[in-house]
Amino acid sequence: MTVRVLGIAGSPRRGGNTETLLDRFLIGAQSAGATTEKVVASRLQVTGCAACDGCWEDGQCIIHDDYQDVQARLIAADVIVLAAPLFFWNLPAQVKAMIDRAQCQWARKFLLKRPLPPTPAGHARRRGVFISSGGEDHPTFDGAVRTVRGFLSLYEADYWAELLYGGIDARGAIEKHPTALQEAFTLGTRAVRWENITPP
Ligand SMILES: Cc1cc2nc3c(=O)[nH]c(=O)nc-3n(C[C@H](O)[C@H](O)[C@H](O)COP(=O)(O)O)c2cc1C
């Protein structure tokens, strides 16, 4: 079974810095033999969590929108790559809504004690990657990293690697970075070959 890579493009700016990096990562992953797919948060209908606690009963969200489809893809993926810029030291609202909806997975994992099945490729633990950029020269990614770590862990994905770039603001700025595109490509190949690296 080939490794499946799910990329989540979290910026509302299509073709912007983080989506460009995500695309490079996915091309690298394909070159190493993976099946890849990409969901674009800003194109989906995903509302925020209603905090109704409805999922505490059976782990199912009472809101029916595109999140159910995203969730099925998250569970089937071996590698989950979330690419999103810093917005006010955290993530854009479109992808944050998706993350908040993972509350139903929190209920399944911690309240109902229902473990996720292994992926179709046989991995019990998934691999998580966070790609981000910020316009400040030395932005703090701490808030976003913490959010992404929490989200990935609910889907049994280890926080395996991150690519975080400061001083990247205008559309296309990442293409002038001396190493970023190659780093994203290489990381995509290494993720799929299931290489071990020192986790961040
Ligand atoms: C609403 C908004 C909030 C932002 N907040 C931050 C921030 O807190 N820190 C930062 O370094 N850059 C911030 N930026 C700049 C973006 O993170 C930066 O331009 C990024 O490279 C955009 O990536 P993208 O092209 O993938 O959307 C913000 C931009 C916008 C539009």
Side-chain angles (χ1 to χ4, degrees):
M1 205 65 162
T2 55
V3 169
R4 277 198 219 186
V5 180
L6 173 65
I8 301 173
S11 176
R13 177 152 72 180
R14 294 303 315 275
N17 297 310
T18 52
E19 192 171 357
T20 298
L21 289 166
L22 176 62
D23 288 345
R24 286 303 168 111
F25 182 102
L26 295 177
I27 291 168
Q30 286 161 15
S31 77
T35 303
T36 68
E37 57 182 342
K38 179 168 82 171
V39 298
V40 179
S42 63
R43 291 182 62 187
L44 301 177
Q45 293 296 325
V46 177
T47 71
C49 172
C52 66
D53 298 343
C55 58
W56 289 22
E57 294 286 316
D58 60 358
Q60 300 300 320
C61 186
I62 57 123
I63 305 169
H64 292 276
D65 58 13
D66 287 335
Y67 190 70
Q68 279 75 21
D69 178 64
V70 172
Q71 178 163 258
R73 293 173 195 273
L74 285 163
I75 291 170
D78 301 283
V79 181
I80 300 166
V81 196
L82 198 156
L86 279 187
F87 274 16
F88 288 88
W89 305 281
N90 212 290
L91 301 172
Q94 293 85 347
V95 73
K96 183 60 165 52
M98 186 183 284
I99 289 173
D100 288 353
R101 290 285 295 288
Q103 181 71 353
C104 56
Q105 177 59 22
W106 175 86
R108 279 194 291 272
K109 184 177 164 80
F110 291 109
L111 300 181
L112 305 172
K113 316 270 186 220
R114 285 190 207 151
L116 283 184
T119 66
H123 292 117
R125 299 288 304 171
R126 290 153 189 78
R127 232 162 213 199
V129 178
F130 180 40
I131 296 175
S132 189
S133 64
E136 293 175 66
D137 282 342
H138 302 287
T140 172
F141 290 92
D142 296 0
V145 166
R146 192 159 186 165
T147 299
V148 173
R149 277 183 182 275
F151 172 67
L152 291 169
S153 72
L154 290 178
Y155 286 95
E156 307 299 347
D158 296 318
Y159 192 83
W160 178 73
E162 62 187 16
L163 292 174
L164 311 175
Y165 301 98
I168 301 293
D169 211 2
R171 176 192 288 279
I174 201 68
E175 284 159 53
K176 301 186 190 102
H177 188 283
T179 56
L181 299 185
Q182 185 59 43
E183 283 163 357
F185 178 92
T186 303
L187 197 62
T189 63
R190 298 185 72 188
V192 171
R193 293 186 185 128
W194 224 253
E195 287 184 25
N196 289 320
I197 60 171
T198 307

